[in-house]
Amino acid sequence: MKERILEEIGKVNDLKASEINDVENIRIQYLGKKGLLNDLFLEFKAAPSQEKKEIGLLLNELKIAVQDKIEALREAVVSEEESGVEKDDLTKPSTEFTLGSRHPLSIVRNEIIEIFSKVGYVVEEGPEIEDDWHVFSSLNFPPEHPARDMQDTFFVENREDGNNAVLRTHTSSVQVRVMETQKPPIRIIAPGRVFRNEAISARAHCIFHQIEGLYIDKNVSFADLKQNLLYFAKEMFGESTKIRLRPSYFPFTEPSAEMDISCNLCGGKGCNVCKQTGWLEIMGCGMVDPNVLEANGIDSKEYSGFAFGMGIERITMLKYNVKDLRLYFENDMRFLKQFTSVY
Ligand code: PHE
């Protein structure tokens, strides 16, 4: 009986049981509830008890053989279907796939990089886990400066020599890394993540992004700084954008300034975003303090330079009118899907 059944199933194979449904029908015919095998098992119940052991063994053997045969048939059909080119319907529309989009912060970072590379700046990077020297000391921060406080800075490791490991609080540390390894002329921008011990709100976050700029050469003046920043403001926010520099203070620049752009939403007339002033603050800047040049082995009598630093979140907020910083980090698709760009 076993041979006969296997032969029968084999014949179906020869007949090119080409569809998985055919295989299923065969399975039902032999192994289904009302199939042949089940009938045999029912009959087996009535067999004389001294013969049960022998018949039982044979029956099981038969069942396994049939299962194997049908499984082999199924595999043959499936692999034929997969490889069978002529079975594909080439006129079927393809399945839809959605393209991802860049994060708004990446878009704006890339745009800023593009603008500065057009006038000769090259991108440099530095570590996010820094030390006191690169974040503070070499940048002319006095020992008691409040930025060195635990309230502002994340400390990673306290070291005996005082050169503690910290998460960088600004990308100005990359200025130092570059001055250590390159000789002027230097013209770099450094995008990257920075960390400050701030409570998270719509206007502040403990992680954010900055872009730093540094230019050192002979005879670099404040006029060069102004012109570079005006060029950037016009490229980024439109040809009619004006800039304004207000005196400010940073330990590593002298003189220092805060740069405002004319409000790109109201054109300077005054609105909610610029709080009726017509101006938006976008970055800090200044002439590199001679102490910083000297601390990094650059002769401050021969060379001068300027530096600037801006927050990418802030620029992105102004560019796209984003009102809450937290949106950048929540990865809500409804927010992210709105941004498309060539950058
Ligand atoms: N590092 C400063 C900050 O984080 C910005 C800055 C950079 C200011 C370079 C002047 C020059 O606020």
Side-chain angles (χ1 to χ4, degrees), residues 170 172 175 196 210 212 250 252-253 284-285 307-309:
H170 54 180
S172 300
Q175 287 187 35
R196 287 184 199 173
Q210 290 187 327
E212 190 85 7
F250 299 100
F252 38 93
T253 46
C285 60
F308 54 86

Side-chain angles (χ1 to χ4, degrees), residues 166-186:
V166 298
L167 296 185
R168 65 178 178 196
T169 57
H170 54 180
T171 43
S172 300
S173 54
V174 185
Q175 287 187 35
V176 181
R177 296 255 162 214
V178 170
M179 286 188 256
E180 277 170 354
T181 51
Q182 298 179 25
K183 288 195 170 13
I186 290 169

Side-chain angles (χ1 to χ4, degrees), residues 306-318:
F306 62 72
F308 54 86
M310 66 190 110
I312 302 180
E313 278 79 358
R314 169 98 181 132
I315 307 274
T316 311
M317 280 178 134
L318 298 176

Side-chain angles (χ1 to χ4, degrees), residues 1-284:
M1 182 177 261
K2 181 170 141 194
E3 267 159 32
R4 206 196 69 221
I5 292 176
L6 293 183
E7 201 186 323
E8 265 175 31
I9 300 177
K11 265 192 210 144
V12 182
N13 196 13
D14 293 343
L15 288 175
K16 280 211 179 309
S18 56
E19 290 218 12
I20 204 78
N21 280 346
D22 296 344
V23 180
E24 183 58 12
N25 285 339
I26 295 167
R27 192 193 65 78
I28 291 168
Q29 190 185 337
Y30 290 95
L31 298 171
K33 258 209 179 110
K34 293 184 180 146
L36 183 67
L37 266 285
N38 236 9
D39 288 350
L40 287 174
F41 273 103
L42 287 177
E43 258 179 66
F44 165 73
K45 278 189 184 156
S49 52
Q50 65 272 31
E51 287 176 24
K52 267 205 165 143
K53 192 177 171 201
E54 203 188 334
I55 299 179
L57 274 172
L58 285 170
L59 255 179
N60 267 328
E61 218 177 88
L62 175 63
K63 188 179 173 190
I64 290 169
V66 171
Q67 279 171 340
D68 287 352
K69 184 89 185 171
I70 289 178
E71 191 46 40
L73 198 55
R74 184 196 305 278
E75 272 167 26
V77 168
V78 168
S79 67
E80 194 186 323
E81 275 189 356
E82 277 170 358
S83 67
V85 174
E86 78 268 23
K87 289 200 196 75
D88 287 338
D89 179 359
L90 297 177
T91 63
K92 249 172 147 178
S94 68
T95 49
E96 191 189 346
F97 67 97
T98 39
L99 267 185
S101 57
R102 283 195 199 286
H103 194 280
L105 295 177
S106 301
I107 294 173
V108 170
R109 180 197 55 207
N110 293 349
E111 193 174 350
I112 298 171
I113 290 174
E114 178 85 8
I115 291 171
F116 281 108
S117 17
K118 279 199 255 177
V119 287
Y121 288 78
V122 293
V123 173
E124 289 287 345
E125 280 175 1
E128 292 176 351
I129 301 177
E130 262 293 3
D131 54 28
D132 183 282
W133 170 256
H134 290 91
V135 179
F136 300 125
S137 293
S138 64
L139 288 165
N140 206 32
F141 280 77
E144 70 284 3
H145 193 281
R148 291 182 132 130
D149 201 281
M150 299 266 288
Q151 273 170 358
D152 294 297
T153 302
F154 289 115
F155 286 79
V156 177
E157 185 186 50
N158 284 331
R159 295 177 179 159
E160 266 176 30
D161 60 3
N163 193 23
N164 300 328
V166 298
L167 296 185
R168 65 178 178 196
T169 57
H170 54 180
T171 43
S172 300
S173 54
V174 185
Q175 287 187 35
V176 181
R177 296 255 162 214
V178 170
M179 286 188 256
E180 277 170 354
T181 51
Q182 298 179 25
K183 288 195 170 13
I186 290 169
R187 201 194 292 238
I188 62 105
I189 41 168
R193 270 201 296 197
V194 299
F195 309 83
R196 287 184 199 173
N197 195 355
E198 305 243 17
I200 296 170
S201 72
R203 310 195 48 144
H205 209 290
C206 55
I207 303 176
F208 56 101
H209 301 77
Q210 290 187 327
I211 290 203
E212 190 85 7
L214 176 69
Y215 179 31
I216 301 174
D217 203 348
K218 290 178 178 153
N219 301 319
V220 177
S221 72
F222 202 92
D224 297 320
L225 170 61
K226 259 170 85 174
Q227 197 55 39
N228 271 253
L229 296 186
L230 178 62
Y231 157 76
F232 166 72
K234 284 174 180 276
E235 288 280 313
M236 189 77 208
F237 294 102
E239 185 56 35
S240 58
T241 309
K242 295 186 183 65
I243 64 166
R244 171 172 94 167
L245 290 154
R246 285 177 290 107
S248 185
Y249 174 78
F250 299 100
F252 38 93
T253 46
E254 182 60 35
S256 305
E258 213 76 66
M259 183 174 105
D260 300 340
I261 56 164
S262 52
C263 180
N264 60 330
L265 289 172
C266 63
K269 284 187 208 79
C271 67
N272 287 341
V273 176
C274 62
K275 300 202 190 76
Q276 311 305 329
T277 63
W279 295 97
L280 301 162
E281 183 186 318
I282 64 161
M283 68 169 98

